[in-house]
Amino acid sequence: MRDGFDRASTNRIAAQAGVSIGSLYQYFPSKEALVMAVAERHNRDLMNIVRRALAEVAAAPVRTGVRTLVAAAITAHAHDPALHRVLSEQTPRTGPLAGLEPFNREAHALLRAYLEDHRDELRATDLDLAAFVCMTSIEALTHTAVLYRPDVLEGPAREPLADEATQLVLGYLLPS
Amino acid sequence: MRDGFDRASTNRIAAQAGVSIGSLYQYFPSKEALVMAVAERHNRDLMNIVRRALAEVAAAPVRTGVRTLVAAAITAHAHDPALHRVLSEQTPRTGPLAGLEPFNREAHALLRAYLEDHRDELRATDLDLAAFVCMTSIEALTHTAVLYRPDVLEGPAREPLADEATQLVLGYLLPS
Amino acid sequence: MRDGFDRASTNRIAAQAGVSIGSLYQYFPSKEALVMAVAERHNRDLMNIVRRALAEVAAAPVRTGVRTLVAAAITAHAHDPALHRVLSEQTPRTGPLAGLEPFNREAHALLRAYLEDHRDELRATDLDLAAFVCMTSIEALTHTAVLYRPDVLEGPAREPLADEATQLVLGYLLPS
Amino acid sequence: MRDGFDRASTNRIAAQAGVSIGSLYQYFPSKEALVMAVAERHNRDLMNIVRRALAEVAAAPVRTGVRTLVAAAITAHAHDPALHRVLSEQTPRTGPLAGLEPFNREAHALLRAYLEDHRDELRATDLDLAAFVCMTSIEALTHTAVLYRPDVLEGPAREPLADEATQLVLGYLLPS
DNA sequence: AATGAATGAGGATTCATTCAT
DNA sequence: CATGAATGAATCCTCATTCAT
């Protein structure tokens, strides 16, 4: 129970950030607000990566586009993994901080839009469900890799994971 | 920060369990040990479900076996979802409590063994990686469903999720 | 701003009382509740003195009874003057702690009842108002004496104050 | 504990006053000094009312003069009752702020002087004590009325209080 | 063995005060 | 002079843990 954000008392956070608690509370009305702000900033960063990738891929066929999206997901998770770990492990998903899942909601909506634009290439019919499955799978694979196999996210070892994830999603989306 | 296990003070836990904190500390040397024990018990339950499913499926071909395994995963996650949620959200994965991932390790090993037994039906060659991909995907889909769409886990609505997960894994494992 | 109860931090109170703050919070849910409890106890003590005096005097004529009541008021204020001082100076009369004035309300009611029982001895007609005037005057004289002239409350010096207060009230209540 | 001046942080006071705390501290060396200044200003206002009334009444006999003095006391207490309330409730009478009672001291001195000038009309001999009794009683009656019965201080309802207070004091001062 | 009162370190938050701009 | 961001001591309160009964 004494790790991550729990281990992060406001006083410690302030000290680490090189400011006094007083100053911290000048900018954030409560610890919750502070955590929220950090998490939102992180999510904004991630969403930027995802959005850029989807824009870049918009006109590309699913067969090649997915590869790029998977790469973007890996890049996103590789961005400040320590923070990502702490946030994903310690941020309550119930209570006032649950407001963080909007991130996933937007990503889901964007992906579904992409799939709808490429509906004729796909096997699936329920694109909402399909987007959910793809999002969740890619997210889980890259996320788990970040947490337990940081090695696969840098250097050449990064390829196998990307390959498998792409394989997985394409096998699911495309008609056999 | 004030939810789940954080909100569960030892005194509250003891009261809820109908024993005195004194007694609690007679059995568990610390709060961490207590949480650990609860988590391990929960994981043992889950592993029993998974083990049984894999045993049942051992001789079945992948094409039909996966379906059963997915069903087992859903059943496992549907077992005490409240506890599952709390544990997955609040249990630190770093620090002394990280000892929980052995669970995943065993499940991973069992699945890999199954895949190896059915190697000739499969496309993939790196079965270790393949097991990781399958485990992670199924886990994520059922887990996310438990957390955010408890509805899809009961009643007929349960089928679509199982269908999609099966699709996903088979499309990945089998040669096209 | 740094005196009396303000100067009394919960930790200091606990230390002074020879218990740990933990223990304090086992009995009182908040600082407010603690202050409230102390104040109520004090008021109960005071009311006992007042009640006893009024009972004792019930059958006595106003001319002699008032003298006894004044003495009781002095006795009441002389009971733990330090606490009385702190409470009267620091207890907010607005907010949740305002609940303390019921004390005065009861004293007022008792006095009015006494006056009504002796209506024929009195000049005044509005006995409610008369009770208010007597209560307030006696209270103020003894209270102020406690705060600024603790000397007049002990020893022979105590008499002049009692004499004057009695004089004041009798001159007001009795027909000239 | 969170009311009145306690709830008035220096920053809040400064904001309300439309200046920066910096400026506040240019004029007042500490919060205490600031509160002191406000209280002194208020007391000066009150003393002006009292002084004027005593001057006006100097030549008048006690029998009619007291009535005017009581009216002045009521007027004084009715002047900014909100501020009066806060000051009387929150200003410590011990410690560095105790300097406020000089106000009462002056009023007491003035009243005693008046009584001495009219010594032959009076019953009492210890005029110092008599002044104390009158001051305290009138103050208490008007003060309590301000705090708990603001209604009696405006409109025709104001008369009963003034009548009773006058009665009380005259009955005490004059020979029966 | 069971109890639960007692402990006190630690955490979130406020606010009087300072000082660089 | 005026400003207001920065400071950090001090406050109220929680909770894991101990120990006398």
Side-chain angles (χ1 to χ4, degrees), chain C residues 27-59:
Chain C
Y27 296 120
F28 304 99
S30 69
K31 186 183 182 183
E32 212 161 87
L34 165 60
V35 172
M36 195 89 151
V38 171
E40 263 165 10
R41 188 150 136 56
H42 182 65
N43 279 342
R44 220 175 356 260
D45 290 351
L46 298 197
M47 273 313 296
N48 282 339
I49 295 176
V50 170
R51 249 193 305 268
R52 205 170 308 129
L54 275 162
E56 179 189 333
V57 140

PDB file of all heavy atoms in Angstrom, chain C residues 27-59:
ATOM      1  N   TYR C  27     -12.823   9.009  21.235  1.00  0.00           N
ATOM      2  CA  TYR C  27     -13.972   9.435  22.021  1.00  0.00           C
ATOM      3  C   TYR C  27     -14.724  10.604  21.393  1.00  0.00           C
ATOM      4  O   TYR C  27     -15.918  10.735  21.564  1.00  0.00           O
ATOM      5  CB  TYR C  27     -13.514   9.811  23.427  1.00  0.00           C
ATOM      6  CG  TYR C  27     -12.954   8.648  24.178  1.00  0.00           C
ATOM      7  CD1 TYR C  27     -11.646   8.638  24.655  1.00  0.00           C
ATOM      8  CD2 TYR C  27     -13.742   7.510  24.370  1.00  0.00           C
ATOM      9  CE1 TYR C  27     -11.146   7.531  25.342  1.00  0.00           C
ATOM     10  CE2 TYR C  27     -13.251   6.411  25.044  1.00  0.00           C
ATOM     11  CZ  TYR C  27     -11.947   6.424  25.530  1.00  0.00           C
ATOM     12  OH  TYR C  27     -11.464   5.330  26.186  1.00  0.00           O
ATOM     13  N   PHE C  28     -13.994  11.459  20.680  1.00  0.00           N
ATOM     14  CA  PHE C  28     -14.640  12.616  20.066  1.00  0.00           C
ATOM     15  C   PHE C  28     -14.358  12.632  18.575  1.00  0.00           C
ATOM     16  O   PHE C  28     -13.202  12.542  18.173  1.00  0.00           O
ATOM     17  CB  PHE C  28     -14.124  13.901  20.704  1.00  0.00           C
ATOM     18  CG  PHE C  28     -14.307  13.931  22.187  1.00  0.00           C
ATOM     19  CD1 PHE C  28     -13.261  13.612  23.031  1.00  0.00           C
ATOM     20  CD2 PHE C  28     -15.539  14.249  22.732  1.00  0.00           C
ATOM     21  CE1 PHE C  28     -13.431  13.620  24.406  1.00  0.00           C
ATOM     22  CE2 PHE C  28     -15.717  14.257  24.107  1.00  0.00           C
ATOM     23  CZ  PHE C  28     -14.658  13.939  24.949  1.00  0.00           C
ATOM     24  N   PRO C  29     -15.385  12.748  17.763  1.00  0.00           N
ATOM     25  CA  PRO C  29     -15.193  12.645  16.314  1.00  0.00           C
ATOM     26  C   PRO C  29     -14.469  13.843  15.718  1.00  0.00           C
ATOM     27  O   PRO C  29     -13.979  13.766  14.602  1.00  0.00           O
ATOM     28  CB  PRO C  29     -16.617  12.547  15.779  1.00  0.00           C
ATOM     29  CG  PRO C  29     -17.463  13.163  16.831  1.00  0.00           C
ATOM     30  CD  PRO C  29     -16.787  12.898  18.138  1.00  0.00           C
ATOM     31  N   SER C  30     -14.409  14.948  16.423  1.00  0.00           N
ATOM     32  CA  SER C  30     -13.753  16.128  15.874  1.00  0.00           C
ATOM     33  C   SER C  30     -13.408  17.084  17.005  1.00  0.00           C
ATOM     34  O   SER C  30     -13.885  16.918  18.126  1.00  0.00           O
ATOM     35  CB  SER C  30     -14.659  16.841  14.890  1.00  0.00           C
ATOM     36  OG  SER C  30     -15.748  17.420  15.577  1.00  0.00           O
ATOM     37  N   LYS C  31     -12.627  18.063  16.695  1.00  0.00           N
ATOM     38  CA  LYS C  31     -12.243  19.027  17.712  1.00  0.00           C
ATOM     39  C   LYS C  31     -13.484  19.738  18.235  1.00  0.00           C
ATOM     40  O   LYS C  31     -13.637  19.966  19.429  1.00  0.00           O
ATOM     41  CB  LYS C  31     -11.272  20.052  17.126  1.00  0.00           C
ATOM     42  CG  LYS C  31     -10.736  20.990  18.180  1.00  0.00           C
ATOM     43  CD  LYS C  31      -9.839  22.056  17.595  1.00  0.00           C
ATOM     44  CE  LYS C  31      -9.299  22.951  18.719  1.00  0.00           C
ATOM     45  NZ  LYS C  31      -8.464  24.049  18.209  1.00  0.00           N
ATOM     46  N   GLU C  32     -14.359  20.061  17.303  1.00  0.00           N
ATOM     47  CA  GLU C  32     -15.581  20.751  17.667  1.00  0.00           C
ATOM     48  C   GLU C  32     -16.359  19.954  18.707  1.00  0.00           C
ATOM     49  O   GLU C  32     -16.832  20.497  19.709  1.00  0.00           O
ATOM     50  CB  GLU C  32     -16.438  20.918  16.423  1.00  0.00           C
ATOM     51  CG  GLU C  32     -17.259  22.162  16.445  1.00  0.00           C
ATOM     52  CD  GLU C  32     -17.698  22.496  15.042  1.00  0.00           C
ATOM     53  OE1 GLU C  32     -18.748  21.962  14.634  1.00  0.00           O
ATOM     54  OE2 GLU C  32     -17.001  23.249  14.369  1.00  0.00           O
ATOM     55  N   ALA C  33     -16.487  18.658  18.444  1.00  0.00           N
ATOM     56  CA  ALA C  33     -17.228  17.797  19.357  1.00  0.00           C
ATOM     57  C   ALA C  33     -16.578  17.802  20.735  1.00  0.00           C
ATOM     58  O   ALA C  33     -17.262  17.798  21.761  1.00  0.00           O
ATOM     59  CB  ALA C  33     -17.288  16.381  18.800  1.00  0.00           C
ATOM     60  N   LEU C  34     -15.262  17.821  20.740  1.00  0.00           N
ATOM     61  CA  LEU C  34     -14.545  17.831  22.010  1.00  0.00           C
ATOM     62  C   LEU C  34     -14.834  19.109  22.791  1.00  0.00           C
ATOM     63  O   LEU C  34     -15.200  19.065  23.973  1.00  0.00           O
ATOM     64  CB  LEU C  34     -13.047  17.704  21.732  1.00  0.00           C
ATOM     65  CG  LEU C  34     -12.090  18.050  22.872  1.00  0.00           C
ATOM     66  CD1 LEU C  34     -12.336  17.145  24.063  1.00  0.00           C
ATOM     67  CD2 LEU C  34     -10.656  17.955  22.408  1.00  0.00           C
ATOM     68  N   VAL C  35     -14.684  20.229  22.121  1.00  0.00           N
ATOM     69  CA  VAL C  35     -14.946  21.513  22.768  1.00  0.00           C
ATOM     70  C   VAL C  35     -16.385  21.550  23.276  1.00  0.00           C
ATOM     71  O   VAL C  35     -16.661  21.942  24.407  1.00  0.00           O
ATOM     72  CB  VAL C  35     -14.719  22.676  21.786  1.00  0.00           C
ATOM     73  CG1 VAL C  35     -15.177  23.989  22.399  1.00  0.00           C
ATOM     74  CG2 VAL C  35     -13.249  22.747  21.412  1.00  0.00           C
ATOM     75  N   MET C  36     -17.273  21.112  22.434  1.00  0.00           N
ATOM     76  CA  MET C  36     -18.683  21.048  22.776  1.00  0.00           C
ATOM     77  C   MET C  36     -18.884  20.244  24.058  1.00  0.00           C
ATOM     78  O   MET C  36     -19.622  20.670  24.956  1.00  0.00           O
ATOM     79  CB  MET C  36     -19.407  20.339  21.630  1.00  0.00           C
ATOM     80  CG  MET C  36     -20.878  20.508  21.673  1.00  0.00           C
ATOM     81  SD  MET C  36     -21.348  22.002  20.773  1.00  0.00           S
ATOM     82  CE  MET C  36     -22.995  21.502  20.247  1.00  0.00           C
ATOM     83  N   ALA C  37     -18.282  19.101  24.115  1.00  0.00           N
ATOM     84  CA  ALA C  37     -18.446  18.217  25.272  1.00  0.00           C
ATOM     85  C   ALA C  37     -17.945  18.891  26.537  1.00  0.00           C
ATOM     86  O   ALA C  37     -18.603  18.868  27.585  1.00  0.00           O
ATOM     87  CB  ALA C  37     -17.700  16.903  25.039  1.00  0.00           C
ATOM     88  N   VAL C  38     -16.768  19.507  26.431  1.00  0.00           N
ATOM     89  CA  VAL C  38     -16.212  20.194  27.598  1.00  0.00           C
ATOM     90  C   VAL C  38     -17.146  21.313  28.043  1.00  0.00           C
ATOM     91  O   VAL C  38     -17.468  21.452  29.225  1.00  0.00           O
ATOM     92  CB  VAL C  38     -14.819  20.772  27.278  1.00  0.00           C
ATOM     93  CG1 VAL C  38     -14.344  21.670  28.409  1.00  0.00           C
ATOM     94  CG2 VAL C  38     -13.828  19.647  27.033  1.00  0.00           C
ATOM     95  N   ALA C  39     -17.609  22.079  27.059  1.00  0.00           N
ATOM     96  CA  ALA C  39     -18.474  23.207  27.375  1.00  0.00           C
ATOM     97  C   ALA C  39     -19.784  22.723  27.997  1.00  0.00           C
ATOM     98  O   ALA C  39     -20.287  23.314  28.964  1.00  0.00           O
ATOM     99  CB  ALA C  39     -18.759  24.013  26.114  1.00  0.00           C
ATOM    100  N   GLU C  40     -20.311  21.655  27.459  1.00  0.00           N
ATOM    101  CA  GLU C  40     -21.578  21.162  27.989  1.00  0.00           C
ATOM    102  C   GLU C  40     -21.440  20.669  29.426  1.00  0.00           C
ATOM    103  O   GLU C  40     -22.305  20.898  30.264  1.00  0.00           O
ATOM    104  CB  GLU C  40     -22.130  20.049  27.094  1.00  0.00           C
ATOM    105  CG  GLU C  40     -23.164  20.586  26.118  1.00  0.00           C
ATOM    106  CD  GLU C  40     -23.447  19.604  24.992  1.00  0.00           C
ATOM    107  OE1 GLU C  40     -22.992  18.445  25.071  1.00  0.00           O
ATOM    108  OE2 GLU C  40     -24.127  19.997  24.031  1.00  0.00           O
ATOM    109  N   ARG C  41     -20.335  19.998  29.643  1.00  0.00           N
ATOM    110  CA  ARG C  41     -20.072  19.528  31.002  1.00  0.00           C
ATOM    111  C   ARG C  41     -20.002  20.709  31.962  1.00  0.00           C
ATOM    112  O   ARG C  41     -20.627  20.698  33.031  1.00  0.00           O
ATOM    113  CB  ARG C  41     -18.747  18.764  30.994  1.00  0.00           C
ATOM    114  CG  ARG C  41     -18.422  18.062  32.257  1.00  0.00           C
ATOM    115  CD  ARG C  41     -17.591  16.826  31.929  1.00  0.00           C
ATOM    116  NE  ARG C  41     -16.459  16.630  32.813  1.00  0.00           N
ATOM    117  CZ  ARG C  41     -16.540  16.528  34.129  1.00  0.00           C
ATOM    118  NH1 ARG C  41     -17.713  16.633  34.718  1.00  0.00           N
ATOM    119  NH2 ARG C  41     -15.467  16.333  34.853  1.00  0.00           N
ATOM    120  N   HIS C  42     -19.277  21.699  31.542  1.00  0.00           N
ATOM    121  CA  HIS C  42     -19.145  22.897  32.381  1.00  0.00           C
ATOM    122  C   HIS C  42     -20.506  23.531  32.635  1.00  0.00           C
ATOM    123  O   HIS C  42     -20.847  23.879  33.769  1.00  0.00           O
ATOM    124  CB  HIS C  42     -18.212  23.896  31.697  1.00  0.00           C
ATOM    125  CG  HIS C  42     -17.970  25.133  32.500  1.00  0.00           C
ATOM    126  ND1 HIS C  42     -17.314  25.123  33.717  1.00  0.00           N
ATOM    127  CD2 HIS C  42     -18.294  26.428  32.272  1.00  0.00           C
ATOM    128  CE1 HIS C  42     -17.251  26.355  34.195  1.00  0.00           C
ATOM    129  NE2 HIS C  42     -17.839  27.168  33.345  1.00  0.00           N
ATOM    130  N   ASN C  43     -21.282  23.656  31.597  1.00  0.00           N
ATOM    131  CA  ASN C  43     -22.597  24.265  31.739  1.00  0.00           C
ATOM    132  C   ASN C  43     -23.514  23.431  32.623  1.00  0.00           C
ATOM    133  O   ASN C  43     -24.322  23.974  33.375  1.00  0.00           O
ATOM    134  CB  ASN C  43     -23.246  24.459  30.366  1.00  0.00           C
ATOM    135  CG  ASN C  43     -22.714  25.708  29.695  1.00  0.00           C
ATOM    136  OD1 ASN C  43     -22.148  26.582  30.357  1.00  0.00           O
ATOM    137  ND2 ASN C  43     -22.883  25.798  28.391  1.00  0.00           N
ATOM    138  N   ARG C  44     -23.357  22.119  32.513  1.00  0.00           N
ATOM    139  CA  ARG C  44     -24.174  21.257  33.362  1.00  0.00           C
ATOM    140  C   ARG C  44     -23.839  21.534  34.835  1.00  0.00           C
ATOM    141  O   ARG C  44     -24.728  21.675  35.679  1.00  0.00           O
ATOM    142  CB  ARG C  44     -23.935  19.784  33.017  1.00  0.00           C
ATOM    143  CG  ARG C  44     -25.208  18.996  33.029  1.00  0.00           C
ATOM    144  CD  ARG C  44     -25.115  17.543  32.582  1.00  0.00           C
ATOM    145  NE  ARG C  44     -23.861  17.061  32.094  1.00  0.00           N
ATOM    146  CZ  ARG C  44     -23.553  16.917  30.800  1.00  0.00           C
ATOM    147  NH1 ARG C  44     -24.417  17.265  29.882  1.00  0.00           N
ATOM    148  NH2 ARG C  44     -22.393  16.424  30.442  1.00  0.00           N
ATOM    149  N   ASP C  45     -22.565  21.661  35.102  1.00  0.00           N
ATOM    150  CA  ASP C  45     -22.137  21.976  36.465  1.00  0.00           C
ATOM    151  C   ASP C  45     -22.770  23.289  36.937  1.00  0.00           C
ATOM    152  O   ASP C  45     -23.314  23.371  38.037  1.00  0.00           O
ATOM    153  CB  ASP C  45     -20.607  22.111  36.524  1.00  0.00           C
ATOM    154  CG  ASP C  45     -19.917  20.764  36.350  1.00  0.00           C
ATOM    155  OD1 ASP C  45     -20.625  19.731  36.365  1.00  0.00           O
ATOM    156  OD2 ASP C  45     -18.689  20.743  36.193  1.00  0.00           O
ATOM    157  N   LEU C  46     -22.673  24.286  36.069  1.00  0.00           N
ATOM    158  CA  LEU C  46     -23.220  25.585  36.442  1.00  0.00           C
ATOM    159  C   LEU C  46     -24.719  25.499  36.675  1.00  0.00           C
ATOM    160  O   LEU C  46     -25.250  25.997  37.674  1.00  0.00           O
ATOM    161  CB  LEU C  46     -22.936  26.614  35.342  1.00  0.00           C
ATOM    162  CG  LEU C  46     -21.461  26.892  35.045  1.00  0.00           C
ATOM    163  CD1 LEU C  46     -21.318  28.191  34.281  1.00  0.00           C
ATOM    164  CD2 LEU C  46     -20.638  26.938  36.327  1.00  0.00           C
ATOM    165  N   MET C  47     -25.401  24.847  35.764  1.00  0.00           N
ATOM    166  CA  MET C  47     -26.849  24.739  35.890  1.00  0.00           C
ATOM    167  C   MET C  47     -27.229  24.028  37.178  1.00  0.00           C
ATOM    168  O   MET C  47     -28.237  24.367  37.807  1.00  0.00           O
ATOM    169  CB  MET C  47     -27.446  24.004  34.681  1.00  0.00           C
ATOM    170  CG  MET C  47     -27.776  24.898  33.505  1.00  0.00           C
ATOM    171  SD  MET C  47     -28.691  26.392  33.995  1.00  0.00           S
ATOM    172  CE  MET C  47     -30.206  25.665  34.633  1.00  0.00           C
ATOM    173  N   ASN C  48     -26.445  23.063  37.578  1.00  0.00           N
ATOM    174  CA  ASN C  48     -26.748  22.369  38.831  1.00  0.00           C
ATOM    175  C   ASN C  48     -26.740  23.342  40.000  1.00  0.00           C
ATOM    176  O   ASN C  48     -27.624  23.305  40.863  1.00  0.00           O
ATOM    177  CB  ASN C  48     -25.740  21.244  39.070  1.00  0.00           C
ATOM    178  CG  ASN C  48     -26.064  20.033  38.217  1.00  0.00           C
ATOM    179  OD1 ASN C  48     -27.205  19.882  37.763  1.00  0.00           O
ATOM    180  ND2 ASN C  48     -25.078  19.189  37.976  1.00  0.00           N
ATOM    181  N   ILE C  49     -25.738  24.194  39.999  1.00  0.00           N
ATOM    182  CA  ILE C  49     -25.659  25.195  41.070  1.00  0.00           C
ATOM    183  C   ILE C  49     -26.882  26.098  41.044  1.00  0.00           C
ATOM    184  O   ILE C  49     -27.534  26.341  42.065  1.00  0.00           O
ATOM    185  CB  ILE C  49     -24.368  26.024  40.920  1.00  0.00           C
ATOM    186  CG1 ILE C  49     -23.155  25.114  41.120  1.00  0.00           C
ATOM    187  CG2 ILE C  49     -24.365  27.195  41.894  1.00  0.00           C
ATOM    188  CD1 ILE C  49     -21.832  25.816  40.895  1.00  0.00           C
ATOM    189  N   VAL C  50     -27.212  26.575  39.843  1.00  0.00           N
ATOM    190  CA  VAL C  50     -28.339  27.486  39.699  1.00  0.00           C
ATOM    191  C   VAL C  50     -29.649  26.795  40.085  1.00  0.00           C
ATOM    192  O   VAL C  50     -30.475  27.345  40.823  1.00  0.00           O
ATOM    193  CB  VAL C  50     -28.423  28.022  38.254  1.00  0.00           C
ATOM    194  CG1 VAL C  50     -29.736  28.770  38.031  1.00  0.00           C
ATOM    195  CG2 VAL C  50     -27.228  28.915  37.957  1.00  0.00           C
ATOM    196  N   ARG C  51     -29.818  25.603  39.599  1.00  0.00           N
ATOM    197  CA  ARG C  51     -31.049  24.861  39.888  1.00  0.00           C
ATOM    198  C   ARG C  51     -31.211  24.645  41.392  1.00  0.00           C
ATOM    199  O   ARG C  51     -32.282  24.848  41.960  1.00  0.00           O
ATOM    200  CB  ARG C  51     -31.012  23.498  39.184  1.00  0.00           C
ATOM    201  CG  ARG C  51     -32.005  23.394  38.042  1.00  0.00           C
ATOM    202  CD  ARG C  51     -32.171  21.951  37.593  1.00  0.00           C
ATOM    203  NE  ARG C  51     -30.895  21.323  37.230  1.00  0.00           N
ATOM    204  CZ  ARG C  51     -30.403  21.313  36.004  1.00  0.00           C
ATOM    205  NH1 ARG C  51     -31.067  21.877  35.025  1.00  0.00           N
ATOM    206  NH2 ARG C  51     -29.258  20.741  35.749  1.00  0.00           N
ATOM    207  N   ARG C  52     -30.121  24.248  42.016  1.00  0.00           N
ATOM    208  CA  ARG C  52     -30.176  23.988  43.447  1.00  0.00           C
ATOM    209  C   ARG C  52     -30.577  25.266  44.199  1.00  0.00           C
ATOM    210  O   ARG C  52     -31.429  25.247  45.081  1.00  0.00           O
ATOM    211  CB  ARG C  52     -28.823  23.487  43.932  1.00  0.00           C
ATOM    212  CG  ARG C  52     -28.934  22.651  45.205  1.00  0.00           C
ATOM    213  CD  ARG C  52     -27.594  21.978  45.518  1.00  0.00           C
ATOM    214  NE  ARG C  52     -27.074  21.249  44.361  1.00  0.00           N
ATOM    215  CZ  ARG C  52     -25.825  21.385  43.872  1.00  0.00           C
ATOM    216  NH1 ARG C  52     -24.986  22.221  44.450  1.00  0.00           N
ATOM    217  NH2 ARG C  52     -25.443  20.686  42.830  1.00  0.00           N
ATOM    218  N   ALA C  53     -29.984  26.370  43.805  1.00  0.00           N
ATOM    219  CA  ALA C  53     -30.276  27.641  44.468  1.00  0.00           C
ATOM    220  C   ALA C  53     -31.745  28.011  44.304  1.00  0.00           C
ATOM    221  O   ALA C  53     -32.418  28.416  45.262  1.00  0.00           O
ATOM    222  CB  ALA C  53     -29.385  28.738  43.910  1.00  0.00           C
ATOM    223  N   LEU C  54     -32.261  27.839  43.106  1.00  0.00           N
ATOM    224  CA  LEU C  54     -33.653  28.195  42.860  1.00  0.00           C
ATOM    225  C   LEU C  54     -34.598  27.284  43.633  1.00  0.00           C
ATOM    226  O   LEU C  54     -35.643  27.725  44.128  1.00  0.00           O
ATOM    227  CB  LEU C  54     -33.960  28.155  41.360  1.00  0.00           C
ATOM    228  CG  LEU C  54     -33.605  29.456  40.646  1.00  0.00           C
ATOM    229  CD1 LEU C  54     -33.495  29.262  39.151  1.00  0.00           C
ATOM    230  CD2 LEU C  54     -34.652  30.532  40.975  1.00  0.00           C
ATOM    231  N   ALA C  55     -34.251  26.030  43.737  1.00  0.00           N
ATOM    232  CA  ALA C  55     -35.082  25.094  44.494  1.00  0.00           C
ATOM    233  C   ALA C  55     -35.092  25.504  45.965  1.00  0.00           C
ATOM    234  O   ALA C  55     -36.147  25.576  46.613  1.00  0.00           O
ATOM    235  CB  ALA C  55     -34.545  23.666  44.343  1.00  0.00           C
ATOM    236  N   GLU C  56     -33.933  25.805  46.446  1.00  0.00           N
ATOM    237  CA  GLU C  56     -33.758  26.177  47.843  1.00  0.00           C
ATOM    238  C   GLU C  56     -34.565  27.430  48.186  1.00  0.00           C
ATOM    239  O   GLU C  56     -35.068  27.592  49.296  1.00  0.00           O
ATOM    240  CB  GLU C  56     -32.267  26.429  48.076  1.00  0.00           C
ATOM    241  CG  GLU C  56     -31.876  26.851  49.488  1.00  0.00           C
ATOM    242  CD  GLU C  56     -30.417  27.289  49.517  1.00  0.00           C
ATOM    243  OE1 GLU C  56     -29.637  26.797  48.651  1.00  0.00           O
ATOM    244  OE2 GLU C  56     -30.059  28.117  50.349  1.00  0.00           O
ATOM    245  N   VAL C  57     -34.703  28.293  47.183  1.00  0.00           N
ATOM    246  CA  VAL C  57     -35.268  29.609  47.395  1.00  0.00           C
ATOM    247  C   VAL C  57     -36.762  29.674  47.058  1.00  0.00           C
ATOM    248  O   VAL C  57     -37.452  30.633  47.399  1.00  0.00           O
ATOM    249  CB  VAL C  57     -34.459  30.613  46.541  1.00  0.00           C
ATOM    250  CG1 VAL C  57     -35.328  31.645  45.894  1.00  0.00           C
ATOM    251  CG2 VAL C  57     -33.360  31.224  47.388  1.00  0.00           C
ATOM    252  N   ALA C  58     -37.228  28.623  46.435  1.00  0.00           N
ATOM    253  CA  ALA C  58     -38.576  28.622  45.863  1.00  0.00           C
ATOM    254  C   ALA C  58     -39.637  29.247  46.776  1.00  0.00           C
ATOM    255  O   ALA C  58     -40.453  30.058  46.338  1.00  0.00           O
ATOM    256  CB  ALA C  58     -38.983  27.190  45.497  1.00  0.00           C
ATOM    257  N   ALA C  59     -39.587  28.879  48.039  1.00  0.00           N
ATOM    258  CA  ALA C  59     -40.625  29.354  48.945  1.00  0.00           C
ATOM    259  C   ALA C  59     -40.284  30.687  49.602  1.00  0.00           C
ATOM    260  O   ALA C  59     -41.127  31.309  50.259  1.00  0.00           O
ATOM    261  CB  ALA C  59     -40.874  28.288  50.027  1.00  0.00           C
TER     262      ALA C  59
END
